[in-house]
Amino acid sequence: MVSLRKSALVYASLLFSLVRGFDLDVTSKTSICSGATDITNGIMDYYEGYRYGGTVGEFQSPYYWWLAGEVFGGMIDTWYFCQNDTYEETIYNALIAQKGDKNNYIPSNQSFTEGNDDQGFWGFAVMGAVERNFTNPTSDDDPSWLELAQAVYNTMWARWDNTTCDGGLRWQIFTWNNGYNYKNTISNGCLFHMAARLGRYLDNDTYADTASTVWDWMEDVGFVVESGDSISVYDGADIVDDECPTVGEDEWTYNYGILIAGCSYLYNMTGESKWEDRATSLFNGISIFLKDNVMYERQCQDSGTCNNDQRSFKSIFSRSLGMTAVLVPSLYDKVYEVLTASAQGAAQSCSGGTDNVTCGQNWSHDGWDGVYGLGEQISALECIQNLLIDQRPGPYKATTGGSSKSNPDAGLGTSTDTNANEVDIVRKDKVGAGILTAVVLVAVVSTAVWMVI
């Protein structure tokens, strides 16, 4: 149930539409972090973990579990950029509480509904903890942040499906969910993105090879299409007679975001021009999401049909652009122009509600547009705080100060697991993969019953 303060927003829309949000100085860390604090406080109004009987690491209905992973990933960056530890314990507890019994972010309370993309977004969050040197787990019973990230990668890569469409991940993990017969960019993009980041952090070619395999498959199947100096990214395709014959051409900011960031990590790791070229072409492709350099979700925003998930997509898009600016110097100026214009728009949209700092969806609107929610809050936060990308060190590597301990076999379970994607040992860090078998699923189903709202 949404708080009383939030429920008053509908009635306050007209009253506060003339307020211009907080006064953001895009050149001032103090101003940026002050705004980030106000926005984050609004985010936590939706947090279930503070409520009596609430679940640690989850947000109130109707917000799905994956979005919590995205939010905590953004809050790690707030902790890092602004050196603000207000919510450090909250973030820490959430990452531990939702890791699941096998430490791979497939917790029992999500077993019936979790998709590959859902797992991937929690993987992004914990990978952010790795790269920002977020407070390491202190209990001997808890794995390191890096182990958790490796477990996400291992279990996703194990589900790579060569029996249909010549490869790729399905949208859903479990056969009983709608979308199991759909292969899409976001699920495969999550694997690509995780592999790229792990490859760079550990200086490990095996992860980079996985990323290349995923990228090549997305090109072959038609999810990623290069045309001149631009790349278009489409949503996905239904499996028909073991093929993916017809690609749906919806385009979303988050698909572009996770791919451009993945290319940027690979370029930073390898120095190979193809990854810089792909990042540049993806950046050229994002022009479809810009109005006077201000981000918008073109597929649904103008029509007012964005659902709760889609209203958050500019969040990972903003974070990914920040990563790109840091890792691909040739794109820094262009990316920073987009972040600056969008942050200014986001800040002036954060003028709603009884607090006068509740954020809206339309950043080109004059003041608050009357739309509010968790997606609007986290999107504004990510965009604004990424103006600080050059005021703190870039993402750490294991060789440049990263402190999280590696376990390349994390998440694989017992020695009887089958490694579906056997790979060579590279640079002393073996990467493996295990299969989530029907036996495991039956065991999970037989031990508990969960209700997912």
Side-chain angles (χ1 to χ4, degrees):
M1 183 176 182
V2 178
S3 66
L4 292 176
R5 186 175 71 83
K6 289 294 178 183
S7 67
L9 290 170
V10 175
Y11 305 102
S13 176
L14 291 177
L15 176 61
F16 291 111
S17 63
L18 298 179
V19 179
R20 294 296 177 262
F22 55 84
D23 184 16
L24 178 67
D25 179 353
V26 297
T27 67
S28 167
K29 179 179 178 180
T30 299
S31 176
I32 293 167
C33 289
S34 176
T37 297
D38 286 339
I39 295 170
T40 304
N41 290 340
I43 284 173
M44 299 315 290
D45 284 344
Y46 296 94
Y47 188 48
E48 188 68 24
Y50 289 162
R51 299 173 182 274
Y52 180 77
T55 303
V56 173
E58 293 190 17
F59 287 83
Q60 298 172 49
S61 178
Y63 300 109
Y64 292 119
W65 180 76
W66 79 269
L67 185 52
E70 168 58 15
V71 169
F72 290 117
M75 290 175 65
I76 287 171
D77 276 354
T78 312
W79 170 87
Y80 182 73
F81 288 139
C82 296
Q83 297 165 281
N84 181 341
D85 63 1
T86 301
Y87 294 108
E88 181 177 354
E89 184 176 1
T90 299
I91 299 166
Y92 180 99
N93 290 339
L95 294 179
I96 294 296
Q98 294 297 324
K99 63 184 177 59
D101 292 339
K102 293 186 178 295
N103 298 325
N104 58 11
Y105 288 100
I106 305 180
S108 59
N109 63 326
Q110 300 298 323
S111 293
F112 282 120
T113 60
E114 185 172 344
N116 280 299
D117 52 340
D118 304 326
Q119 185 188 24
F121 272 84
W122 279 91
F124 297 168
V126 78
M127 195 67 214
V130 172
E131 294 171 341
R132 302 302 191 193
N133 267 348
F134 186 70
T135 306
N136 287 308
T138 55
S139 171
D140 292 338
D141 296 330
D142 290 325
S144 71
W145 302 133
L146 181 55
E147 286 182 84
L148 291 169
Q150 289 170 306
V152 169
Y153 163 85
N154 284 337
T155 51
M156 291 185 77
W157 181 225
R159 293 192 292 270
W160 185 262
D161 172 28
N162 285 313
T163 66
T164 58
C165 309
D166 296 318
L169 286 177
R170 296 170 182 263
W171 180 20
Q172 296 299 319
I173 295 174
F174 302 110
T175 58
W176 51 76
N177 284 333
N178 289 331
Y180 182 75
N181 288 320
Y182 188 68
K183 292 192 174 182
N184 59 359
T185 296
I186 190 58
S187 294
N188 289 279
C190 284
L191 176 57
F192 169 75
H193 184 102
M194 286 295 294
R197 291 173 75 170
L198 284 165
R200 176 187 177 274
Y201 184 82
L202 291 165
D203 194 23
N204 183 301
D205 288 339
T206 303
Y207 290 108
D209 289 344
T210 297
S212 293
T213 296
V214 179
W215 178 274
D216 291 344
W217 179 82
M218 288 190 293
E219 280 194 330
D220 290 343
V221 81
F223 293 176
V224 174
V225 178
E226 186 171 359
S227 178
D229 64 352
S230 180
I231 287 178
S232 297
V233 181
Y234 302 121
D235 190 69
D238 288 316
I239 301 169
V240 180
D241 296 329
D242 296 332
E243 300 294 335
C244 289
T246 305
V247 176
E249 295 191 348
D250 288 354
E251 295 176 89
W252 303 101
T253 55
Y254 76 157
N255 282 330
Y256 280 76
I258 62 172
L259 294 188
I260 194 173
C263 290
S264 300
Y265 274 93
L266 290 168
Y267 171 65
N268 187 266
M269 172 192 174
T270 66
E272 294 179 359
S273 59
K274 68 179 181 181
W275 294 116
E276 182 182 28
D277 292 343
R278 287 166 176 170
T280 301
S281 294
L282 283 163
F283 181 80
N284 293 337
I286 72 167
S287 61
I288 62 174
F289 302 112
L290 303 177
K291 293 181 177 179
D292 296 326
N293 257 3
V294 176
M295 302 173 193
Y296 81 109
E297 198 65 57
R298 70 187 292 266
Q299 201 68 43
C300 61
Q301 186 172 307
D302 287 342
S303 62
T305 58
C306 297
N307 63 29
N308 283 322
D309 287 344
Q310 295 155 3
R311 284 158 56 182
S312 71
F313 287 174
K314 288 182 292 188
S315 170
I316 192 62
F317 186 52
S318 298
R319 193 196 309 171
S320 295
L321 288 181
M323 294 171 178
T324 298
V326 169
L327 299 171
V328 185
S330 61
L331 289 175
Y332 178 90
D333 289 342
K334 292 179 180 179
V335 169
Y336 205 83
E337 287 179 7
V338 171
L339 288 173
T340 300
S342 298
Q344 290 170 326
Q348 63 86 38
S349 86
C350 295
S351 56
T354 56
D355 56 6
N356 294 2
V357 290
T358 293
C359 302
Q361 179 185 36
N362 187 344
W363 296 347
S364 297
H365 187 271
D366 188 17
W368 182 46
D369 60 0
V371 181
Y372 65 93
L374 185 57
E376 284 71 33
Q377 293 296 118
I378 187 58
S379 293
L381 175 68
E382 293 268 35
C383 186
I384 290 168
Q385 70 188 13
N386 269 282
L387 295 175
L388 299 174
I389 51 176
D390 57 359
Q391 296 195 26
R392 296 279 286 152
Y396 291 111
K397 299 170 61 174
T399 56
T400 62
S403 61
S404 200
K405 296 180 180 179
S406 175
N407 175 7
D409 292 326
L412 295 184
T414 68
S415 60
T416 59
D417 285 337
T418 301
N419 188 340
N421 295 286
E422 189 64 48
V423 292
D424 294 332
I425 297 175
V426 177
R427 298 183 186 175
K428 301 181 181 179
D429 196 4
K430 180 188 174 188
V431 180
I435 292 177
L436 285 175
T437 64
V439 174
V440 173
L441 294 178
V442 170
V444 170
V445 172
S446 66
T447 55
V449 175
W450 302 282
M451 179 177 293
V452 179
I453 296 176

